[in-house]
């Protein structure tokens, strides 16, 4: 999906496509890496955001990653995205409350928010990679998250992860 298209923009189209079907994945591929486009696309349900100047092999890999149910963001965009979501809560802004998950799931969510893979989470928590994957899958269900990107956003919004100072 591209951001700018005739008739309807890519963000609006993404929202229409993903609103009724949680199994459908949308990967944004655009020349515009503007932050507003990135955030709009992710909020609309996109599972990935790439810029067209990436190597073809990286784009093909990203398509496979999203088709497998994971999420991906262009490396140049990732740092800005994390910095934005990791910003300190403004005056009067309280972190989102997190309920309905176990203490272990809270630990796993914190590690997902730090960008760890299932294998890295398993190592950090002294559990198997399969157990880590199960915890992530339960978090996706319990938090009604589409993919790991949304889990990262939740980890920042709830204060489990904060921006480095």
């Amino acid at each position: 999906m591209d951001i700018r298209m005739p008739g309807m923009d890519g963000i609006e189209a993404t929202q229409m496509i993903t609103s009724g079907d949680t199994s459908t994945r949308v990967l944004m591929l655009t020349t515009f890496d503007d932050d507003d486009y990135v955030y709009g696309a992710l909020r609309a349900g996109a599972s990935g955001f790439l810029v067209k100047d990436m190597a073809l092999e990286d784009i093909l890999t990203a398509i496979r990653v999203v088709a497998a149910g994971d999420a991906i963001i262009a490396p140049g965009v990732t740092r800005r995205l994390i910095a934005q979501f990791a910003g300190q809560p403004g005056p009067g802004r309280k972190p989102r409350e997190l309920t309905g998950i176990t203490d272990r799931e809270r630990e796993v969510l914190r590690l997902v928010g730090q960008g760890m893979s299932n294998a890295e989470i398993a190592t950090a928590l002294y559990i198997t990679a399969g157990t880590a994957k199960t915890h992530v899958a339960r978090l996706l269900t319990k938090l009604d998250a589409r993919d790991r990107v949304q889990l990262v956003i939740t980890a920042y919004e709830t204060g489990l992860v904060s921006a480095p100072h």
Side-chain angles (χ1 to χ4, degrees):
M1 179 75 66
D2 199 352
I3 292 288
R4 293 187 182 170
M5 304 184 308
M8 177 185 297
D9 71 41
I11 293 172
E12 185 180 353
T14 297
Q15 188 160 19
M16 287 178 62
I17 290 167
T18 62
S19 67
D21 182 4
T22 58
S23 65
T24 301
R25 304 284 186 231
V26 174
L27 177 62
M28 303 301 281
L29 178 63
T30 184
T31 57
F32 307 101
D33 72 345
D34 179 85
D35 288 352
D36 288 337
Y37 289 143
V38 175
Y39 306 137
L42 295 175
R43 285 186 187 109
S47 294
F49 193 97
L50 305 177
V51 289
K52 291 181 181 177
D53 65 356
M54 292 177 65
L56 177 59
E57 188 57 39
D58 292 339
I59 293 172
L60 293 174
T61 299
I63 291 169
R64 289 183 198 101
V65 165
V66 170
D70 285 324
I72 193 160
I73 300 173
V77 176
T78 303
R79 186 168 304 280
R80 290 194 332 259
L81 175 71
I82 289 174
Q84 176 67 23
F85 280 105
Q88 297 298 322
R93 183 172 162 222
K94 187 175 155 188
R96 184 176 135 196
E97 189 174 327
L98 188 60
T99 59
I101 65 172
T102 66
D103 289 341
R104 180 59 103 180
E105 289 166 343
R106 187 178 304 272
E107 286 180 276
V108 170
L109 180 59
R110 181 181 55 78
L111 297 174
V112 169
Q114 292 174 349
M116 288 190 179
S117 67
N118 290 344
E120 293 168 327
I121 291 168
T123 299
L125 298 178
Y126 303 101
I127 59 177
T128 67
T131 300
K133 183 176 180 178
T134 298
H135 285 305
V136 170
R138 287 185 181 147
L139 283 167
L140 289 167
T141 300
K142 287 181 175 183
L143 299 175
D144 196 28
R146 172 176 286 279
D147 50 42
R148 288 177 85 99
V149 170
Q150 289 188 338
L151 290 179
V152 170
I153 292 168
T154 300
Y156 278 100
E157 288 179 340
T158 58
L160 288 177
V161 179
S162 60
H165 294 104

